[in-house]
Amino acid sequence: MSGKTLYDKLWEQHVVKEREDGTALIYIDRQLLHEVTSPQAFEGLRIASRKPWRLDANLATPDHNVPTTQNEREAGVDGIVDPVSRIQVVTLDNNCDEFGITEFKMQDQRQGIVHVVGPEQGATLPGMTVVCGDSHTATHGAFAALAHGIGTSEVEHVLATQCLIQRKMKNLLIKVDGELAAGITGKDVVLHVIGIIGTAGGTGYAMEFGGSAIRTMSMEGRMTMCNMAIEAGARVGMVSFDEVTANYVKGRPYAPAADQWEQALAAWSDLVSDADAEFDKVVEIRAEDIKPQVTWGTSPEMVTTVDATVPVLEDARDDVERSAFTRAYEYMGLEPGQKITDIRLDRVFIGSCTNSRIEDLRAAAEVAKGRKVADSLTQALVVPGSGLVKAQAEAEGLDKIFVEAGFEWREPGCSMCLAMNADKLGNGEHCASTSNRNFEGRQGYGGRTHLVSPAMAAAAAIAGHFVDVRDFS
Amino acid sequence: MQAFTVHQGLVAPMDRANVDTDMIIPKQFLKSIKRSGFGPNLFDELRYLDEGVPDADNSGRPLNPDFVLNLPRYQGASVLLARENFGCGSSREHAPWALEDFGFRTVIAPSFADIFYNNCFKNGLLPIVLDESIVDRLFKAVDTQEGYQLTVDLEREVIETADGESIAFEVDAFRRHCLLNGLDDIGLTLQDADDIRTYEASRRESAPWLFGTV
Ligand code: SF4
C-alpha cells in the first residue's frame, strides 16, 4: 500500500461520519469571522433560535471595511465615515457580543486582516481544520492545516454544528526543487505556478507545495503561496509540517503552552506527505527558472516576467483565450508586445493578506531605504496586515524608512486590496499591487492592477514604472 | 430554501470564460447585511455604463445596450448558459444570491469554481455541468433561435430542449435530495449531534490544546 498525503491524513483525522453518497461530515477546529460574510449567518442563527455549538472555536476581527487613516481610526467605530461600512463593523461587534464570541475589535492592537491575525496569534495551528467566509483562508494551510474558504450558509452551518459536509478532493503536488535566486519570493513562485497551470488548474484539488525550495522558505513565504492557491482554482493550499512551522508557532498566545508543547509536537510530526504517497497530479518546477513576476492582464494567469513583453494574440492557446486577451488589452490599456518595464504606474499598494507581514514590509523597506518615490506617482501606500505587524515594523524603524521615501504609512486592514473602504484606484489608473487579484474593477472602478512581490512593488514606486528588483541594489 | 424540481425557462448566454464573482456582484454591494436585494446589481459593471453605489435606486442608470442581459430578447431569462470556470475568485455567497434575486434558477456551464458551485446549492440555484461540446451547441441554438427555452428536470437529471432532445446531467445524491426538498442542511446535520459529540470528546483527548484557549 502506498503512503498518505498530508491532505489524506488531515481529512481522515477530521471525519465525524461518512455518508453513503461519498460525502462526509468533517469536524472544524477553528472558524475565523469577519464583518462582510458573517452578518447573514448570525441572522440565520437568530431566526432559527440556534446557539453556536462551541464558542472557543471561533475568533473574529473586522478587516475589509475598516478605515486605514489614523484620523478616521482614532475616532473609533462611530467615526467610520462611510455609513454602510460602519454598519457592517458595528453589526460584527454586536453579533460577537450577543453570542459571546471573542473578537479583536477595531481599536484592539491585535486587530488586522483575518488571515494575518490567525497565524500571528497561534489561533491557526498544525493539524487543524480552519474555515472562514473568505476564499483566502487557504493561507492557513501553510501550517500543515486543512484550511479553506466557505460561503455564508456554511459559516452559519459551522457556527451551529461545528461541522461541514464535504466531499474529498484529489491530491495535487506542486514540487519546487532547487534554489530560488536572490530577490525571488513566495509571491513569484505562486504567480509562476498560476501562469503554468492556469486559474482553473487546481480546481477539485487540494494543492500541496513541496520540494527543496519550499523547505528552505520562511512561514511568511509559505503563507503567501498558500494564500494564492485559490487563484489557481484550488480551495486548499498546504505545506507539510517541519521545524520552520514549529519555530513560528512556538510561544504564540493561543499555541499549546509548555506542558502540552511536547505532546503537540509529537502529534504534528506526522503531518507530512509520506515519501511514497501518491498524488493524482504532480507539477514539477525548477526553482532556478523563476524570475520576478508581473501580471499584465485581468486574471492572475495573465502573468509574465519583468524582463518580458505583454503577450501577443498569437501566444493565446485557443479562441476563448484570444478573446480574453483582446478584452484584457483594452481594459488594461496595453499594447500586445509592449515591454513590461514601460508600464507607467499611478499608484503602488503594499499590503493585503498575501503580502503584509513583517517579512514583506522588511523586503519593501530594504528597497525603499534612502530613495524617493517617483514624482509621477499619485500615491504609494503601505498597509500592515495587523496592529502587531505595525508595532513590530515601527520598532524596527521601517515606518520611518517608508515615510521618508514618500510612502503613506497606514493602519491595518484590507484597504486597497478590494477597495471596500476609501482606498481605491481611479478609473484607468495603473497600480503595482502586492495583493492577489487583478480582476476588472477589483481595486476600484476601472482600476488596472498589476500583481507583484513587495520588493518589486517598492522598486516600481521608486522608478515610476516596473523595474527588475534584481538590478536594483 | 426554495425547492428545485422541474423548471422551464428562457435561456440567456454569458459567452465568456472565467466569469469571477467580483464580476457577478462587485464588492461595493457586499456591504449589505441582508441576503436579498442584490438582483438589480447583478453584473453591475457590465450592465450599466456608470459606477454602481450600494443602496441607490438603479432604475435611472444608463444601461449598456450591448450587454447580453439588457437585450430585449433575453428579458425574463431564468436559465444562464455560461463558459468554463464560472464563479471563480472570491467566496462571496452574494454571487448566487444576486443570480437568484435577478430571477435565475439554474446555471449551465462546462465547469464551475468549487466554492461557487457549493454555494449555489445552499440557495436553491442549480449549477449544471455539461460537456464543453454540448454547451457549445446550446450557445449556437440560443444565438440562432430567439425565445430559446430549456426544461430542467432535477428529479430525472435531464434537460429537455424544445425539439425533444434529452441531455443527461449529474448532481450528487445528497445535494439533489436537499434541493428537491428545499431542505436546510443545518437541521440535517444536527440529526447527527451525538456523533459530533463523540468525535469531539475523542479530539479533546488527543489534542487538548485545541480547546478552551480562545
Ligand atoms: S486582504 Fe484582500 S484578499 Fe485578503 S481578506 Fe482582505 S480583501 Fe480578501
Side-chain angles (χ1 to χ4, degrees), chain A residues 63-64 113 115 134 136 352-353 414 417-418 436 442:
Chain A
D63 53 7
H64 286 62
I113 307 172
H115 309 307
D134 191 286
H136 293 101
S352 89
C353 59
C414 294
C417 173
L418 93 168
N436 45 48
R442 169 81 179 180

Side-chain angles (χ1 to χ4, degrees), chain A residues 10 35 40 70 108 112 207 216 310 401-402 457:
Chain A
L10 288 168
E35 79 278 21
Q40 296 89 349
Q70 212 171 5
D108 192 316
M207 180 190 276
T216 53
V310 174
I401 296 178
F402 286 123

Side-chain angles (χ1 to χ4, degrees), chain A residues 175-181 189 210-217 284-290:
Chain A
K175 195 160 180 287
V176 191
D177 278 320
E179 222 173 294
L180 294 170
V189 177
S212 58
I214 309 300
R215 298 269 67 89
T216 53
M217 194 181 278
E284 296 196 18
I285 287 168
R286 275 168 33 111
E288 290 78 9
D289 292 345
I290 306 176

Side-chain angles (χ1 to χ4, degrees), chain A residues 98-153:
Chain A
E98 178 188 335
F99 287 97
I101 287 171
T102 304
E103 183 197 4
F104 298 158
K105 296 199 161 92
M106 198 176 85
Q107 303 301 74
D108 192 316
Q109 202 187 28
R110 297 167 296 176
Q111 176 271 341
I113 307 172
V114 71
H115 309 307
V116 174
V117 169
E120 182 173 85
Q121 290 294 320
T124 300
L125 292 172
M128 273 185 166
T129 38
V130 181
V131 297
C132 173
D134 191 286
S135 57
H136 293 101
T137 310
T139 312
H140 308 263
F143 290 84
L146 176 53
H148 58 78
I150 55 178
T152 298
S153 296

Side-chain angles (χ1 to χ4, degrees), chain A residues 81-92:
Chain A
V81 174
D82 177 351
V84 203
S85 291
R86 188 170 61 234
I87 289 175
Q88 275 202 336
V89 176
V90 169
T91 305
L92 180 69

Side-chain angles (χ1 to χ4, degrees), chain A residues 13-17 19 21 25 27 29-30 36 39-40 50 53-54 56 58 65 82 84-85 88 91 102 125 127-128 133-135 149-154 156-157 160-161 163 165 167 199-200 203-204 235 254 256 260 264 268 320 327 418 420 437 439-442 444-445, chain B residues 16-18 20 22 27 30-35 38 45-46 48-51 54-55 84-85 88-94 97 112-115 118-119 122-123 172-175 184-187 189-190 192-193 195-197 199-200 203 205-206 208-214:
Chain A
Q13 288 174 13
H14 290 88
V15 173
V16 171
K17 189 177 177 178
R19 296 174 196 259
D21 63 359
L25 203 58
Y27 189 80
D29 296 311
R30 172 77 66 232
V36 181
Q40 296 89 349
R50 288 177 174 133
W53 179 278
R54 218 190 103 198
D56 66 342
N58 296 285
N65 279 284
D82 177 351
V84 203
S85 291
Q88 275 202 336
T91 305
T102 304
L125 292 172
M128 273 185 166
D134 191 286
S135 57
I150 55 178
T152 298
S153 296
E154 289 175 316
E156 185 184 341
H157 193 279
T161 70
C163 288
I165 300 160
R167 179 176 288 277
T199 50
T203 304
R235 291 178 80 173
Y254 297 133
Q260 287 173 340
W268 295 342
V320 176
R327 208 166 12 233
L418 93 168
M420 270 187 90
R437 287 190 175 137
F439 299 156
E440 289 182 20
R442 169 81 179 180
Y445 184 76
Chain B
R16 60 198 278 176
N18 299 314
D20 58 74
D22 279 73
K27 74 249 153 193
L30 270 53
K31 292 187 176 184
S32 169
I33 54 170
K34 299 193 296 274
R35 253 175 208 267
F38 295 101
E45 289 181 9
L46 301 172
Y48 301 98
L49 293 171
D50 62 350
E51 185 178 354
D55 288 335
E84 63 186 35
N85 201 25
C88 60
S90 144
S91 60
R92 63 190 66 162
E93 199 158 318
H94 311 66
W97 294 340
F112 291 91
D114 289 339
I115 301 179
N118 212 15
N119 283 340
K122 317 277 180 201
N123 294 286
D172 70 52
F174 178 70
R175 283 175 169 145
D184 156 13
D185 48 353
I186 293 181
T189 299
L190 286 174
D192 292 328
D195 292 306
I196 303 173
R197 275 190 210 101
Y199 174 90
E200 201 164 68
R203 186 127 185 96
E205 254 328 77
S206 62
W209 56 86
L210 297 180
F211 291 80
T213 49
V214 170

Side-chain angles (χ1 to χ4, degrees), chain A residues 183-379:
Chain A
I184 303 299
T185 64
K187 184 64 162 285
D188 301 295
V189 177
V190 70
L191 283 171
H192 178 83
V193 169
I194 296 167
I196 292 171
I197 69 172
T199 50
T203 304
Y205 291 95
M207 180 190 276
E208 178 172 346
F209 295 92
S212 58
I214 309 300
R215 298 269 67 89
T216 53
M217 194 181 278
S218 67
M219 281 316 294
E220 279 92 343
R222 294 176 185 185
M223 283 189 258
T224 301
M225 288 192 310
C226 291
N227 175 277
M228 289 192 70
I230 185 72
E231 261 51 73
R235 291 178 80 173
V236 166
M238 47 181 36
V239 176
S240 283
F241 180 83
D242 61 14
E243 235 182 86
V244 179
T245 331
N247 290 339
Y248 184 98
V249 170
K250 195 167 185 183
R252 307 236 162 219
Y254 297 133
D259 54 328
Q260 287 173 340
W261 179 254
E262 292 303 322
Q263 190 192 352
L265 267 190
W268 295 342
S269 64
D270 188 44
L271 297 173
V272 295
S273 284
D274 295 331
D276 57 344
E278 267 183 41
F279 286 83
D280 300 282
K281 190 160 117 183
V282 178
V283 177
E284 296 196 18
I285 287 168
R286 275 168 33 111
E288 290 78 9
D289 292 345
I290 306 176
K291 297 181 185 173
Q293 306 282 309
V294 181
T295 65
W296 62 270
T298 51
S299 157
E301 70 184 19
M302 294 176 175
V303 63
T304 186
T305 55
V306 66
D307 55 0
T309 52
V310 174
V312 292
L313 271 186
E314 290 69 42
D315 295 332
R317 285 185 304 259
D318 51 26
D319 283 350
V320 176
E321 191 165 275
R322 249 184 301 282
S323 76
F325 274 23
T326 310
R327 208 166 12 233
Y329 298 144
E330 197 196 320
Y331 182 85
M332 295 297 291
L334 296 174
E335 297 294 329
Q338 183 177 345
K339 279 170 78 176
I340 293 295
T341 47
D342 284 348
I343 300 174
R344 300 258 142 209
L345 296 162
D346 301 290
R347 295 183 202 250
V348 168
F349 170 60
I350 297 173
S352 89
C353 59
T354 316
N355 282 127
S356 64
R357 298 180 180 82
I358 190 68
E359 184 180 280
D360 302 316
L361 302 188
R362 285 181 192 140
E366 198 182 309
V367 173
K369 192 168 190 173
R371 297 193 167 99
K372 289 274 179 240
V373 168
D375 286 338
S376 54
L377 250 63
T378 308
Q379 184 179 48

